[in-house]
Amino acid sequence: MLGAHAGGSICRLMNKLSVYEFKRRALSVFFPNICPFCGRVIDARDYYCEPCEGLLPLINGELPPPENVSRLYACCWYSGIARAAVHMLKFKCLIYPADAFGLMMSRVLQNVSADALVPVPSGFLSIEKRGFSPAEEIAERVSMRLDIPILNALTADFDKTEQKTLTRKSRILNARKCFHISKNVSVRGKRLLIIDDVTTTGSTLSALAEILLNAGAADVSAAVFAQVPGSIKRPEEPKRYKPKRK
C-alpha cells in the first residue's frame, strides 16, 4: 500500500492535472485547440495531432552536457516542425505550444530525480513583449505532471541582452553578467534541473549551472524541448567543476 505521503502527493498531482485539463477543454469552446506543429484544429483532449507525432525529429539517446551541467535531456532536434513550434512560442507570442512541450518533456524526465525545477528567466522587456516567460510556462507544466516544485532561483537583469544575437563566447560572458541568484532564495545542497525551451551551444546552461553551483547547489542538470543539431560538442577532457574560493 502507498504511504500517506505518497498517496497525498498522487492526489495533489491528480487534482492539479484535473483542473489544468478542465481549463484547456473550457477554453477550446471559445478558442479552437490547435496543434502547435502544423496548425490543424485538434480535439480538446489532445496536445498535438497524430500525423505530427510521426514527423517530429525526436532525439534518441543521451546528449553530451555542456560544462558544469551533469546531464542534458532534450525531446527533439531544433528543426522542421519542432523548430516551427518553438517559433510560435517565442516569436509569435502564442502560449499553447508550452502545453505540448511540457507533456513531452515530462515523459522524457519521468525517471529523473530532482529537488526543484529552475526555469531560465526572461528579461523584463521580453516578458513585456510576449506577456509571459517561455521557460516558466514550460516549467509549470512539467512541475504539475512530475510533482517537482519550481524554484525561481535565478533572476535576469532588466535589460538583458538576448542570447540569440551573440557568439558562443559572448553568450557565456553575457549569461554570467546578466543572471543572478534571486534574493532570499537558497539552493544549498539541492539537486536542480534547469528548464528551457531550446539550447544552441549550451553556453547559457553552462553559465547558469556555474552560478547555481557557486551558490551551493549539489548538482545541476538541464532539460530543454529542442537542441540545435551539432551545436554541442563533448569536450576532449571533461572538466570537473571547482567551486570558487571566497
Side-chain angles (χ1 to χ4, degrees), residues 44 55 84-85 90 112 118 124 134 160 169 173 179 209-210 230 240:
L55 296 174
K90 296 189 71 164
V112 173
V118 179
F124 176 82
K160 178 178 76 71
K169 184 176 180 180
L173 296 174
F179 291 107
E210 181 181 24
R240 190 174 182 83

Side-chain angles (χ1 to χ4, degrees), residues 67-119:
E67 188 177 354
N68 302 317
V69 177
S70 60
R71 293 166 302 280
L72 176 61
Y73 306 94
C75 298
C76 299
W77 295 112
Y78 185 64
S79 63
I81 59 175
R83 183 175 184 271
V86 172
H87 278 221
M88 296 286 281
L89 179 69
K90 296 189 71 164
F91 306 125
K92 294 189 177 180
C93 308
L94 299 173
I95 203 169
Y96 64 85
D99 291 333
F101 297 174
L103 173 64
M104 295 178 68
M105 289 174 67
S106 65
R107 289 172 176 169
V108 170
L109 299 169
Q110 60 183 341
N111 295 319
V112 173
S113 179
D115 295 317
L117 307 179
V118 179

Side-chain angles (χ1 to χ4, degrees), residues 38-53:
C38 69
R40 294 188 183 97
V41 176
I42 54 177
D43 190 277
R45 296 167 294 181
D46 295 332
Y47 290 82
Y48 45 86
C49 66
E50 189 174 342
C52 284
E53 187 171 12

